[in-house]
Amino acid sequence: MSTRPWKAIRGLAWSGAAAAGAYVAGSYAAAVALGDALISPVGLAPGRDDRTAFLAALRQESERAEEFPHRGDPRDPVELVCTFASPGLSGRRATILFLHGKGGNATEWLPDARRALACGFNVLVPDLRGHGRSGGRFITFGLLERGDLANAVAAAKERFGIDAGRLGVHACSYGGSPALQFSAANPAVRALWLESPFGDAPAMARHYLHLKSGVPSWALGLTTRWALARADARVRRAIGLRREEGLEAMDPVRAAEKIRCPVALVFGKRDQLTLPEFLGRLEEALPRTTTVWEVAAAGHCHHEDQPLSVETEEYERRWKEFFASRLEE
């Protein structure tokens, strides 16, 4: 019997093994290079931060507007910065927290803060850790941010006399992760507006690494798993956590299952950053009373084609009705 077929088979096997080895090696190298990108406060594009104009506009339209510092979560107590504004008599009003996305900062919320003030709400707009003027080496998808936000609310209560038991939250993109963790089983949060969030964290991470590197998503499966593991290990080492206490515990769906307040879930059907399919099981995990609004011609929040820009009148109407009806005395 000729040995040629067996030689060909062996050749194919060696070629396959070499290709598999190259894929594994390449995936690991990519994970080393990209792992930190998942927890970096730096976004895909440079964020704008016109702090002077932001504060000036709020001071024009409120009785009091002030930027103030506060400490972060005790496990990593960096100094954080938050902006507060009120139409006056702040203790008698509900307060809405605005949580920006990855790479963003407080100043991108100016139109929404103005709307909230005009509706009679206090506004509390933090620079999330690592962003804007806030300290911090990395983001943690709510692990530390929920403590940061609790401290911001406590500081605002002490400094401005707000009612810390009557809060609304409006979150954009990555900000939805801290919003879910902060709001889960928190009776102080009475209304939660989630815009362009994600529920399937691994799928979102894979897509983000694709956008960051230009490597096709289909080739990033193993890279994403290793990159997530490296990011988790880095955070746990930095703040002294056990494996089960790290980023893997920050599952948006599990947090959503604990939400008890009314929720508005808003996303653009043409969103190319947080793809609608990345909602995963988030929608079904939220309360049954959740209002879902898919804006057909819109993209990602705080982008040019955001729902607010595409459906301005409808967006304004829905937003005002949602918070007014849930935050009344």
Side-chain angles (χ1 to χ4, degrees):
M1 180 178 176
S2 173
T3 60
R4 289 181 181 177
W6 294 107
K7 288 182 179 179
I9 291 170
R10 283 198 298 269
L12 288 172
W14 278 110
S15 296
Y23 172 72
V24 171
S27 295
Y28 181 78
V32 171
L34 294 172
D36 286 349
L38 295 176
I39 54 173
S40 168
V42 178
L44 293 170
R48 297 178 60 183
D49 189 340
D50 192 345
R51 191 76 44 160
T52 302
F54 176 65
L55 289 170
L58 292 182
R59 285 169 181 150
Q60 268 191 330
E61 300 181 31
S62 61
E63 183 178 286
R64 183 175 189 180
E66 182 179 323
E67 191 176 82
F68 66 96
H70 66 91
R71 280 294 175 190
D73 185 285
R75 293 168 293 184
D76 189 26
V78 295
E79 184 170 283
L80 305 174
V81 171
C82 192
T83 300
F84 173 80
S86 174
L89 301 173
S90 56
R92 299 183 185 179
R93 303 177 184 276
T95 300
I96 299 181
L97 285 82
F98 294 95
L99 308 182
H100 62 75
K102 189 176 189 288
N105 60 75
T107 67
E108 66 191 55
W109 287 108
L110 181 55
D112 305 274
R114 281 173 159 163
R115 184 192 316 116
L117 289 167
C119 291
F121 299 119
N122 302 321
V123 300
L124 198 57
V125 197
D127 284 332
L128 296 174
R129 63 171 47 238
H131 295 85
R133 296 189 180 183
S134 286
R137 297 159 287 175
F138 39 68
I139 62 175
T140 67
F141 300 87
L143 178 65
L144 295 173
E145 288 85 356
R146 60 189 174 189
D148 298 343
L149 294 172
N151 287 354
V153 171
K157 179 181 179 181
E158 180 178 354
R159 194 178 188 109
F160 309 110
I162 71 166
D163 179 357
R166 193 152 59 106
L167 306 173
V169 178
H170 180 168
C172 167
S173 191
Y174 160 77
S177 294
L180 284 164
Q181 300 298 333
F182 177 68
S183 303
N186 184 346
V189 179
R190 301 189 185 182
L192 173 60
W193 181 284
L194 290 172
E195 195 162 340
S196 305
F198 58 86
D200 188 338
M204 181 67 236
R206 185 170 178 170
H207 183 62
Y208 184 83
L209 293 182
H210 155 65
L211 295 175
K212 189 79 174 176
S213 67
V215 176
S217 292
W218 58 263
L220 287 170
L222 194 54
T223 293
T224 302
R225 287 177 58 189
W226 280 337
L228 285 166
R230 286 179 62 85
D232 178 56
R234 181 187 168 195
V235 170
R236 286 189 290 104
R237 283 196 305 268
I239 57 180
L241 297 179
R242 298 190 298 272
R243 181 179 295 274
E244 65 272 16
E245 298 173 323
L247 298 182
E248 289 185 4
M250 296 296 102
D251 181 356
V253 172
R254 273 188 282 171
E257 291 171 343
K258 299 176 183 177
I259 300 293
R260 297 294 176 263
C261 69
V263 179
L265 177 60
V266 182
F267 58 95
K269 193 171 183 180
R270 297 184 180 179
D271 194 335
Q272 295 301 304
L273 181 54
T274 305
L275 304 183
E277 55 261 39
F278 295 163
L279 286 173
R281 292 177 42 248
L282 185 65
E283 183 178 337
E284 65 185 62
L286 289 167
R288 291 183 180 180
T289 55
T290 296
T291 300
V292 180
W293 183 27
E294 180 185 58
V295 187
H300 198 67
C301 57
H302 293 178
H303 285 56
E304 288 185 2
D305 61 348
Q306 65 178 325
L308 174 60
S309 300
V310 172
E311 293 282 356
T312 305
E313 289 186 11
E314 180 67 7
Y315 187 102
E316 296 273 358
R317 183 189 67 79
R318 285 174 177 260
W319 192 98
K320 291 173 183 177
E321 289 181 358
F322 177 74
F323 283 109
S325 62
R326 274 76 177 185
L327 295 179
E328 291 175 349
E329 282 281 14

